[in-house]
Amino acid sequence: MTPAVIIATLALLFTGTSFWWLHARTGRVRASDVTAYAGYLKNGHLTVRIPVLLYNSGARTRVVEELRLTCLTWATHEGNWQTFAATLKPTEDESDFATPYAIDGRKTSSKFVTFTFDYSGHLPEPKPTAMTLEARLDDSSTWHTLRHITLHLGHMHSPARYITYRNNPDLCPSDEEQTPAAWKTLHPNLEADW
């Protein structure tokens, strides 16, 4: 084998690999952290709206078929994907039904997604709660973990009102006192072992 053939073969391999990397590679879908959320308790349901910013690291378009928010420490551990909203702040605007959507290669997609947990029979504790944001991608039946997040539910001092809360670990002294009492007052007939 002559040096010219070796160089030509290496150039062809480099060109093919570069083309695949730039135009055909399937990347990972990654999610950002949740810095704020909106939520309320009503009729045996906890409704949470979170900002979901997803990044497709590959060249090929990825399709988000479905999202879910799971919490393994709650009796009902799966939050149903309900709607998309125009903003994180709850308003009287029209929400759109949750539907599949595409994320182009090397692009981001930002949605305000509403999830609903059914807690009938057992009231969850308003404390830092570990959750997992998962997605079904590209017509697959497999759930992929996008990000582990912690929702600091101790900030929900007005659980009957659908309002926005910050999602940082530092609680105000008033939140520490008011939130558990407000949750129990709102649902006095539900079991709460806290």
Side-chain angles (χ1 to χ4, degrees), residues 8-69:
T9 303
L10 290 174
L12 182 62
L13 285 172
F14 176 77
T15 303
T17 303
S18 297
F19 179 83
W20 171 81
W21 186 266
L22 293 173
H23 300 288
R25 180 178 60 91
T26 301
R28 292 184 51 211
V29 175
R30 300 181 191 152
S32 68
D33 202 6
V34 175
T35 58
Y37 66 93
Y40 72 100
L41 301 169
K42 186 174 184 180
N43 299 329
H45 292 89
L46 168 63
T47 299
V48 177
R49 180 183 296 172
I50 63 172
V52 176
L53 177 65
L54 300 179
Y55 171 66
N56 177 4
S57 66
R60 293 180 55 193
T61 298
R62 303 294 304 265
V63 176
V64 178
E65 299 284 341
E66 189 175 1
L67 293 169
R68 73 179 177 187
L69 193 60

Short mmCIF file of all heavy atoms in Angstrom, two decimals, residues 8-69:
data_model
loop_
_atom_site.label_atom_id
_atom_site.label_comp_id
_atom_site.label_asym_id
_atom_site.label_seq_id
_atom_site.Cartn_x
_atom_site.Cartn_y
_atom_site.Cartn_z
N ALA A 8 -5.26 9.01 1.17
CA ALA A 8 -6.59 9.13 0.56
C ALA A 8 -7.64 8.40 1.40
O ALA A 8 -8.76 8.89 1.59
CB ALA A 8 -6.56 8.59 -0.86
N THR A 9 -7.29 7.22 1.92
CA THR A 9 -8.22 6.45 2.76
C THR A 9 -8.51 7.20 4.05
O THR A 9 -9.67 7.29 4.49
CB THR A 9 -7.63 5.06 3.06
OG1 THR A 9 -7.35 4.40 1.83
CG2 THR A 9 -8.60 4.22 3.88
N LEU A 10 -7.48 7.75 4.69
CA LEU A 10 -7.68 8.51 5.92
C LEU A 10 -8.51 9.76 5.67
O LEU A 10 -9.39 10.12 6.48
CB LEU A 10 -6.34 8.89 6.55
CG LEU A 10 -5.55 7.73 7.16
CD1 LEU A 10 -4.18 8.21 7.61
CD2 LEU A 10 -6.31 7.11 8.30
N ALA A 11 -8.29 10.43 4.54
CA ALA A 11 -9.08 11.62 4.20
C ALA A 11 -10.54 11.26 3.99
O ALA A 11 -11.45 11.98 4.42
CB ALA A 11 -8.51 12.29 2.95
N LEU A 12 -10.79 10.12 3.34
CA LEU A 12 -12.17 9.67 3.12
C LEU A 12 -12.84 9.33 4.45
O LEU A 12 -14.00 9.71 4.69
CB LEU A 12 -12.18 8.47 2.18
CG LEU A 12 -13.55 7.92 1.82
CD1 LEU A 12 -14.36 8.99 1.09
CD2 LEU A 12 -13.42 6.68 0.97
N LEU A 13 -12.12 8.64 5.34
CA LEU A 13 -12.68 8.32 6.66
C LEU A 13 -12.97 9.59 7.46
O LEU A 13 -14.02 9.71 8.09
CB LEU A 13 -11.72 7.42 7.44
CG LEU A 13 -11.67 5.97 7.01
CD1 LEU A 13 -10.54 5.24 7.73
CD2 LEU A 13 -12.99 5.29 7.29
N PHE A 14 -12.04 10.54 7.42
CA PHE A 14 -12.25 11.81 8.13
C PHE A 14 -13.46 12.55 7.58
O PHE A 14 -14.28 13.08 8.32
CB PHE A 14 -10.99 12.68 8.03
CG PHE A 14 -11.17 14.03 8.65
CD1 PHE A 14 -11.12 14.18 10.03
CD2 PHE A 14 -11.42 15.15 7.87
CE1 PHE A 14 -11.30 15.42 10.62
CE2 PHE A 14 -11.61 16.40 8.45
CZ PHE A 14 -11.55 16.54 9.82
N THR A 15 -13.60 12.59 6.26
CA THR A 15 -14.73 13.28 5.63
C THR A 15 -16.05 12.62 6.00
O THR A 15 -17.02 13.30 6.35
CB THR A 15 -14.55 13.30 4.09
OG1 THR A 15 -13.32 13.92 3.78
CG2 THR A 15 -15.69 14.04 3.42
N GLY A 16 -16.09 11.30 5.94
CA GLY A 16 -17.33 10.58 6.29
C GLY A 16 -17.70 10.77 7.74
O GLY A 16 -18.86 11.02 8.08
N THR A 17 -16.72 10.68 8.64
CA THR A 17 -16.98 10.87 10.07
C THR A 17 -17.40 12.31 10.36
O THR A 17 -18.33 12.53 11.15
CB THR A 17 -15.71 10.52 10.89
OG1 THR A 17 -15.32 9.18 10.60
CG2 THR A 17 -15.97 10.65 12.37
N SER A 18 -16.75 13.27 9.73
CA SER A 18 -17.12 14.67 9.93
C SER A 18 -18.54 14.93 9.46
O SER A 18 -19.31 15.64 10.12
CB SER A 18 -16.16 15.60 9.19
OG SER A 18 -14.87 15.47 9.70
N PHE A 19 -18.90 14.39 8.31
CA PHE A 19 -20.26 14.57 7.80
C PHE A 19 -21.28 13.99 8.78
O PHE A 19 -22.28 14.61 9.10
CB PHE A 19 -20.42 13.90 6.42
CG PHE A 19 -21.80 14.05 5.87
CD1 PHE A 19 -22.18 15.20 5.20
CD2 PHE A 19 -22.75 13.04 6.05
CE1 PHE A 19 -23.47 15.35 4.71
CE2 PHE A 19 -24.04 13.18 5.57
CZ PHE A 19 -24.40 14.34 4.89
N TRP A 20 -21.01 12.77 9.27
CA TRP A 20 -21.93 12.15 10.23
C TRP A 20 -22.04 13.00 11.49
O TRP A 20 -23.14 13.24 11.99
CB TRP A 20 -21.42 10.74 10.57
CG TRP A 20 -22.18 10.12 11.70
CD1 TRP A 20 -23.39 9.50 11.63
CD2 TRP A 20 -21.80 10.07 13.08
NE1 TRP A 20 -23.77 9.07 12.87
CE2 TRP A 20 -22.81 9.41 13.78
CE3 TRP A 20 -20.70 10.53 13.78
CZ2 TRP A 20 -22.75 9.19 15.15
CZ3 TRP A 20 -20.64 10.31 15.14
CH2 TRP A 20 -21.66 9.65 15.81
N TRP A 21 -20.91 13.47 12.01
CA TRP A 21 -20.90 14.26 13.24
C TRP A 21 -21.68 15.56 13.08
O TRP A 21 -22.42 15.97 13.96
CB TRP A 21 -19.46 14.55 13.67
CG TRP A 21 -19.37 15.24 14.99
CD1 TRP A 21 -19.29 16.57 15.22
CD2 TRP A 21 -19.39 14.62 16.28
NE1 TRP A 21 -19.24 16.83 16.57
CE2 TRP A 21 -19.30 15.63 17.25
CE3 TRP A 21 -19.45 13.29 16.71
CZ2 TRP A 21 -19.28 15.38 18.60
CZ3 TRP A 21 -19.42 13.04 18.06
CH2 TRP A 21 -19.35 14.08 18.99
N LEU A 22 -21.53 16.21 11.94
CA LEU A 22 -22.15 17.51 11.72
C LEU A 22 -23.61 17.44 11.26
O LEU A 22 -24.39 18.36 11.50
CB LEU A 22 -21.35 18.32 10.69
CG LEU A 22 -19.96 18.74 11.14
CD1 LEU A 22 -19.21 19.37 9.98
CD2 LEU A 22 -20.03 19.70 12.31
N HIS A 23 -24.01 16.34 10.60
CA HIS A 23 -25.33 16.33 9.97
C HIS A 23 -26.22 15.15 10.34
O HIS A 23 -27.43 15.22 10.09
CB HIS A 23 -25.17 16.36 8.45
CG HIS A 23 -24.43 17.57 7.97
ND1 HIS A 23 -24.98 18.82 7.98
CD2 HIS A 23 -23.17 17.70 7.48
CE1 HIS A 23 -24.11 19.69 7.52
NE2 HIS A 23 -22.99 19.04 7.22
N ALA A 24 -25.70 14.09 10.88
CA ALA A 24 -26.53 12.90 11.07
C ALA A 24 -26.52 12.32 12.48
O ALA A 24 -27.29 11.43 12.78
CB ALA A 24 -26.09 11.81 10.08
N ARG A 25 -25.67 12.83 13.36
CA ARG A 25 -25.53 12.24 14.69
C ARG A 25 -26.74 12.55 15.57
O ARG A 25 -27.23 13.67 15.63
CB ARG A 25 -24.27 12.80 15.36
CG ARG A 25 -23.99 12.29 16.75
CD ARG A 25 -22.70 12.86 17.28
NE ARG A 25 -22.71 14.30 17.35
CZ ARG A 25 -23.11 15.01 18.40
NH1 ARG A 25 -23.53 14.38 19.49
NH2 ARG A 25 -23.09 16.31 18.39
N THR A 26 -27.24 11.53 16.26
CA THR A 26 -28.31 11.71 17.24
C THR A 26 -27.66 12.07 18.57
O THR A 26 -26.81 11.33 19.07
CB THR A 26 -29.14 10.42 17.40
OG1 THR A 26 -29.70 10.10 16.14
CG2 THR A 26 -30.24 10.61 18.43
N GLY A 27 -28.05 13.20 19.14
CA GLY A 27 -27.47 13.65 20.40
C GLY A 27 -28.36 13.35 21.58
O GLY A 27 -29.41 12.73 21.46
N ARG A 28 -27.91 13.80 22.72
CA ARG A 28 -28.69 13.66 23.95
C ARG A 28 -29.59 14.86 24.13
O ARG A 28 -29.26 15.97 23.71
CB ARG A 28 -27.75 13.56 25.16
CG ARG A 28 -26.93 12.28 25.18
CD ARG A 28 -26.08 12.19 26.43
NE ARG A 28 -26.88 12.43 27.62
CZ ARG A 28 -26.41 12.98 28.73
NH1 ARG A 28 -25.17 13.36 28.81
NH2 ARG A 28 -27.19 13.17 29.76
N VAL A 29 -30.73 14.64 24.77
CA VAL A 29 -31.61 15.74 25.15
C VAL A 29 -31.37 16.00 26.64
O VAL A 29 -31.48 15.09 27.45
CB VAL A 29 -33.09 15.40 24.88
CG1 VAL A 29 -33.99 16.50 25.40
CG2 VAL A 29 -33.32 15.17 23.40
N ARG A 30 -30.99 17.23 26.95
CA ARG A 30 -30.68 17.60 28.33
C ARG A 30 -31.65 18.67 28.80
O ARG A 30 -32.11 19.49 28.02
CB ARG A 30 -29.26 18.14 28.42
CG ARG A 30 -28.22 17.15 27.98
CD ARG A 30 -26.83 17.72 28.09
NE ARG A 30 -25.89 16.83 27.42
CZ ARG A 30 -24.78 17.24 26.88
NH1 ARG A 30 -24.45 18.50 26.93
NH2 ARG A 30 -23.98 16.38 26.30
N ALA A 31 -31.92 18.68 30.10
CA ALA A 31 -32.85 19.66 30.68
C ALA A 31 -32.11 20.56 31.66
O ALA A 31 -31.16 20.14 32.32
CB ALA A 31 -33.98 18.95 31.40
N SER A 32 -32.57 21.80 31.76
CA SER A 32 -32.00 22.73 32.73
C SER A 32 -32.64 22.51 34.09
O SER A 32 -33.64 21.81 34.22
CB SER A 32 -32.22 24.17 32.27
OG SER A 32 -33.59 24.48 32.32
N ASP A 33 -32.10 23.16 35.11
CA ASP A 33 -32.65 23.06 36.45
C ASP A 33 -33.91 23.93 36.57
O ASP A 33 -34.14 24.82 35.75
CB ASP A 33 -31.62 23.50 37.48
CG ASP A 33 -31.90 22.94 38.86
OD1 ASP A 33 -32.83 22.12 39.01
OD2 ASP A 33 -31.19 23.32 39.81
N VAL A 34 -34.70 23.69 37.58
CA VAL A 34 -35.93 24.44 37.82
C VAL A 34 -35.66 25.47 38.90
O VAL A 34 -35.37 25.13 40.04
CB VAL A 34 -37.08 23.49 38.24
CG1 VAL A 34 -38.32 24.26 38.61
CG2 VAL A 34 -37.37 22.49 37.13
N THR A 35 -35.74 26.75 38.54
CA THR A 35 -35.44 27.83 39.49
C THR A 35 -36.70 28.45 40.08
O THR A 35 -36.62 29.19 41.06
CB THR A 35 -34.61 28.93 38.82
OG1 THR A 35 -35.33 29.42 37.69
CG2 THR A 35 -33.27 28.38 38.37
N ALA A 36 -37.84 28.18 39.48
CA ALA A 36 -39.12 28.69 39.99
C ALA A 36 -40.21 27.75 39.50
O ALA A 36 -40.01 26.98 38.55
CB ALA A 36 -39.38 30.10 39.49
N TYR A 37 -41.36 27.77 40.17
CA TYR A 37 -42.48 26.94 39.76
C TYR A 37 -43.77 27.62 40.21
O TYR A 37 -43.77 28.53 41.03
CB TYR A 37 -42.38 25.53 40.35
CG TYR A 37 -42.51 25.47 41.86
CD1 TYR A 37 -43.74 25.26 42.47
CD2 TYR A 37 -41.39 25.66 42.68
CE1 TYR A 37 -43.85 25.23 43.86
CE2 TYR A 37 -41.50 25.64 44.05
CZ TYR A 37 -42.73 25.41 44.64
OH TYR A 37 -42.84 25.39 46.00
N ALA A 38 -44.87 27.18 39.66
CA ALA A 38 -46.19 27.62 40.10
C ALA A 38 -46.93 26.38 40.56
O ALA A 38 -46.71 25.28 40.03
CB ALA A 38 -46.94 28.30 38.96
N GLY A 39 -47.80 26.54 41.55
CA GLY A 39 -48.52 25.36 42.02
C GLY A 39 -49.68 25.70 42.92
O GLY A 39 -49.78 26.81 43.44
N TYR A 40 -50.56 24.70 43.08
CA TYR A 40 -51.68 24.81 44.01
C TYR A 40 -52.23 23.43 44.31
O TYR A 40 -51.96 22.45 43.60
CB TYR A 40 -52.78 25.73 43.46
CG TYR A 40 -53.58 25.15 42.31
CD1 TYR A 40 -54.83 24.59 42.52
CD2 TYR A 40 -53.08 25.19 41.01
CE1 TYR A 40 -55.56 24.07 41.46
CE2 TYR A 40 -53.81 24.69 39.95
CZ TYR A 40 -55.05 24.12 40.19
OH TYR A 40 -55.77 23.61 39.14
N LEU A 41 -53.00 23.35 45.39
CA LEU A 41 -53.68 22.13 45.80
C LEU A 41 -55.19 22.34 45.65
O LEU A 41 -55.72 23.35 46.09
CB LEU A 41 -53.39 21.81 47.27
CG LEU A 41 -51.95 21.60 47.69
CD1 LEU A 41 -51.85 21.56 49.20
CD2 LEU A 41 -51.41 20.33 47.10
N LYS A 42 -55.87 21.36 45.04
CA LYS A 42 -57.31 21.49 44.90
C LYS A 42 -57.92 20.14 44.55
O LYS A 42 -57.40 19.43 43.68
CB LYS A 42 -57.65 22.50 43.80
CG LYS A 42 -59.12 22.81 43.68
CD LYS A 42 -59.35 23.91 42.67
CE LYS A 42 -60.81 24.28 42.63
NZ LYS A 42 -61.08 25.33 41.66
N ASN A 43 -59.00 19.81 45.22
CA ASN A 43 -59.78 18.60 44.92
C ASN A 43 -58.92 17.33 44.84
O ASN A 43 -59.08 16.51 43.94
CB ASN A 43 -60.55 18.77 43.61
CG ASN A 43 -61.54 19.91 43.68
OD1 ASN A 43 -62.08 20.22 44.73
ND2 ASN A 43 -61.77 20.55 42.55
N GLY A 44 -58.01 17.17 45.78
CA GLY A 44 -57.19 15.96 45.81
C GLY A 44 -56.08 15.92 44.78
O GLY A 44 -55.55 14.86 44.48
N HIS A 45 -55.72 17.07 44.23
CA HIS A 45 -54.66 17.14 43.23
C HIS A 45 -53.66 18.24 43.57
O HIS A 45 -54.04 19.30 44.04
CB HIS A 45 -55.24 17.42 41.84
CG HIS A 45 -56.05 16.30 41.30
ND1 HIS A 45 -57.39 16.19 41.55
CD2 HIS A 45 -55.70 15.24 40.54
CE1 HIS A 45 -57.85 15.11 40.95
NE2 HIS A 45 -56.85 14.51 40.34
N LEU A 46 -52.40 17.94 43.32
CA LEU A 46 -51.35 18.94 43.37
C LEU A 46 -50.99 19.26 41.93
O LEU A 46 -50.60 18.36 41.16
CB LEU A 46 -50.11 18.41 44.10
CG LEU A 46 -48.84 19.26 43.97
CD1 LEU A 46 -49.03 20.64 44.60
CD2 LEU A 46 -47.65 18.55 44.60
N THR A 47 -51.15 20.50 41.53
CA THR A 47 -50.81 20.93 40.18
C THR A 47 -49.54 21.76 40.27
O THR A 47 -49.44 22.67 41.08
CB THR A 47 -51.95 21.76 39.57
OG1 THR A 47 -53.11 20.93 39.50
CG2 THR A 47 -51.59 22.25 38.18
N VAL A 48 -48.56 21.42 39.43
CA VAL A 48 -47.27 22.09 39.41
C VAL A 48 -46.95 22.48 37.97
O VAL A 48 -47.05 21.64 37.06
CB VAL A 48 -46.15 21.18 39.95
CG1 VAL A 48 -44.81 21.85 39.86
CG2 VAL A 48 -46.43 20.77 41.37
N ARG A 49 -46.59 23.74 37.76
CA ARG A 49 -46.12 24.21 36.44
C ARG A 49 -44.65 24.55 36.58
O ARG A 49 -44.27 25.33 37.46
CB ARG A 49 -46.90 25.43 35.99
CG ARG A 49 -46.45 25.95 34.62
CD ARG A 49 -47.17 27.20 34.23
NE ARG A 49 -48.59 26.95 34.05
CZ ARG A 49 -49.50 27.90 33.84
NH1 ARG A 49 -49.14 29.17 33.80
NH2 ARG A 49 -50.77 27.59 33.71
N ILE A 50 -43.83 23.94 35.73
CA ILE A 50 -42.38 24.19 35.78
C ILE A 50 -41.88 24.61 34.40
O ILE A 50 -42.44 24.22 33.38
CB ILE A 50 -41.59 22.96 36.28
CG1 ILE A 50 -41.75 21.77 35.32
CG2 ILE A 50 -41.98 22.58 37.69
CD1 ILE A 50 -40.85 20.59 35.64
N PRO A 51 -40.81 25.41 34.38
CA PRO A 51 -40.18 25.71 33.10
C PRO A 51 -39.32 24.52 32.67
O PRO A 51 -38.52 24.02 33.45
CB PRO A 51 -39.32 26.94 33.40
CG PRO A 51 -39.03 26.85 34.86
CD PRO A 51 -40.20 26.13 35.49
N VAL A 52 -39.55 24.05 31.46
CA VAL A 52 -38.77 22.93 30.93
C VAL A 52 -37.98 23.44 29.73
O VAL A 52 -38.53 23.70 28.67
CB VAL A 52 -39.68 21.76 30.52
CG1 VAL A 52 -38.87 20.64 29.87
CG2 VAL A 52 -40.44 21.22 31.73
N LEU A 53 -36.68 23.64 29.96
CA LEU A 53 -35.78 24.07 28.89
C LEU A 53 -34.95 22.86 28.49
O LEU A 53 -34.19 22.32 29.29
CB LEU A 53 -34.86 25.19 29.37
CG LEU A 53 -33.82 25.67 28.37
CD1 LEU A 53 -34.49 26.32 27.16
CD2 LEU A 53 -32.85 26.62 29.02
N LEU A 54 -35.15 22.40 27.24
CA LEU A 54 -34.45 21.22 26.75
C LEU A 54 -33.45 21.62 25.67
O LEU A 54 -33.73 22.50 24.85
CB LEU A 54 -35.45 20.21 26.17
CG LEU A 54 -36.50 19.69 27.13
CD1 LEU A 54 -37.43 18.71 26.41
CD2 LEU A 54 -35.87 19.02 28.33
N TYR A 55 -32.30 20.95 25.66
CA TYR A 55 -31.25 21.18 24.66
C TYR A 55 -30.96 19.87 23.95
O TYR A 55 -30.70 18.85 24.58
CB TYR A 55 -29.98 21.72 25.33
CG TYR A 55 -28.80 21.77 24.41
CD1 TYR A 55 -28.79 22.63 23.31
CD2 TYR A 55 -27.70 20.96 24.61
CE1 TYR A 55 -27.71 22.68 22.45
CE2 TYR A 55 -26.60 21.01 23.77
CZ TYR A 55 -26.62 21.87 22.68
OH TYR A 55 -25.55 21.91 21.83
N ASN A 56 -30.99 19.91 22.62
CA ASN A 56 -30.64 18.76 21.80
C ASN A 56 -29.18 18.92 21.37
O ASN A 56 -28.85 19.79 20.58
CB ASN A 56 -31.56 18.70 20.57
CG ASN A 56 -31.21 17.58 19.62
OD1 ASN A 56 -30.33 16.77 19.87
ND2 ASN A 56 -31.91 17.53 18.50
N SER A 57 -28.30 18.08 21.88
CA SER A 57 -26.86 18.22 21.63
C SER A 57 -26.42 17.64 20.29
O SER A 57 -25.29 17.85 19.88
CB SER A 57 -26.07 17.56 22.76
OG SER A 57 -26.27 16.16 22.74
N GLY A 58 -27.30 16.93 19.61
CA GLY A 58 -26.91 16.30 18.35
C GLY A 58 -27.31 17.10 17.13
O GLY A 58 -27.85 18.20 17.22
N ALA A 59 -27.03 16.53 15.96
CA ALA A 59 -27.33 17.19 14.70
C ALA A 59 -28.76 16.89 14.22
O ALA A 59 -29.39 17.71 13.57
CB ALA A 59 -26.34 16.75 13.63
N ARG A 60 -29.28 15.73 14.55
CA ARG A 60 -30.61 15.33 14.09
C ARG A 60 -31.69 15.90 15.00
O ARG A 60 -31.51 16.04 16.20
CB ARG A 60 -30.73 13.81 14.07
CG ARG A 60 -29.84 13.17 13.03
CD ARG A 60 -29.95 11.68 13.01
NE ARG A 60 -31.34 11.28 12.83
CZ ARG A 60 -31.77 10.04 13.03
NH1 ARG A 60 -30.93 9.10 13.41
NH2 ARG A 60 -33.02 9.73 12.85
N THR A 61 -32.84 16.18 14.41
CA THR A 61 -34.00 16.65 15.16
C THR A 61 -34.49 15.53 16.06
O THR A 61 -34.54 14.37 15.65
CB THR A 61 -35.12 17.08 14.19
OG1 THR A 61 -34.63 18.17 13.41
CG2 THR A 61 -36.36 17.50 14.94
N ARG A 62 -34.85 15.86 17.30
CA ARG A 62 -35.43 14.90 18.24
C ARG A 62 -36.87 15.30 18.50
O ARG A 62 -37.20 16.49 18.55
CB ARG A 62 -34.66 14.91 19.57
CG ARG A 62 -33.18 14.62 19.51
CD ARG A 62 -32.83 13.21 19.07
NE ARG A 62 -33.41 12.16 19.86
CZ ARG A 62 -32.81 11.55 20.89
NH1 ARG A 62 -31.61 11.92 21.26
NH2 ARG A 62 -33.42 10.58 21.55
N VAL A 63 -37.73 14.32 18.68
CA VAL A 63 -39.13 14.58 18.95
C VAL A 63 -39.45 14.17 20.39
O VAL A 63 -39.18 13.04 20.80
CB VAL A 63 -40.04 13.81 17.97
CG1 VAL A 63 -41.51 14.01 18.33
CG2 VAL A 63 -39.78 14.25 16.54
N VAL A 64 -39.99 15.11 21.15
CA VAL A 64 -40.45 14.83 22.52
C VAL A 64 -41.89 14.36 22.40
O VAL A 64 -42.79 15.14 22.11
CB VAL A 64 -40.34 16.08 23.41
CG1 VAL A 64 -40.86 15.78 24.81
CG2 VAL A 64 -38.90 16.58 23.46
N GLU A 65 -42.10 13.07 22.59
CA GLU A 65 -43.43 12.48 22.46
C GLU A 65 -44.30 12.75 23.68
O GLU A 65 -45.50 12.99 23.56
CB GLU A 65 -43.33 10.96 22.24
CG GLU A 65 -42.58 10.55 21.00
CD GLU A 65 -43.37 10.74 19.74
OE1 GLU A 65 -44.60 10.86 19.80
OE2 GLU A 65 -42.74 10.79 18.66
N GLU A 66 -43.68 12.67 24.87
CA GLU A 66 -44.43 12.82 26.12
C GLU A 66 -43.46 13.13 27.24
O GLU A 66 -42.31 12.70 27.22
CB GLU A 66 -45.18 11.52 26.41
CG GLU A 66 -46.16 11.59 27.53
CD GLU A 66 -46.96 10.30 27.70
OE1 GLU A 66 -46.75 9.34 26.95
OE2 GLU A 66 -47.79 10.27 28.62
N LEU A 67 -43.92 13.88 28.23
CA LEU A 67 -43.13 14.20 29.42
C LEU A 67 -43.87 13.69 30.65
O LEU A 67 -45.10 13.59 30.65
CB LEU A 67 -42.94 15.71 29.56
CG LEU A 67 -42.09 16.41 28.51
CD1 LEU A 67 -42.23 17.93 28.65
CD2 LEU A 67 -40.63 16.02 28.66
N ARG A 68 -43.11 13.40 31.69
CA ARG A 68 -43.73 13.10 32.99
C ARG A 68 -42.77 13.54 34.09
O ARG A 68 -41.56 13.61 33.90
CB ARG A 68 -44.11 11.64 33.12
CG ARG A 68 -42.97 10.67 33.31
CD ARG A 68 -43.49 9.25 33.47
NE ARG A 68 -42.38 8.31 33.59
CZ ARG A 68 -42.52 7.01 33.60
NH1 ARG A 68 -43.72 6.48 33.51
NH2 ARG A 68 -41.48 6.22 33.72
N LEU A 69 -43.36 13.82 35.24
CA LEU A 69 -42.61 14.21 36.43
C LEU A 69 -42.92 13.14 37.47
O LEU A 69 -44.09 12.91 37.79
CB LEU A 69 -43.09 15.59 36.89
CG LEU A 69 -42.25 16.32 37.92
CD1 LEU A 69 -40.83 16.57 37.41
CD2 LEU A 69 -42.90 17.65 38.27
#
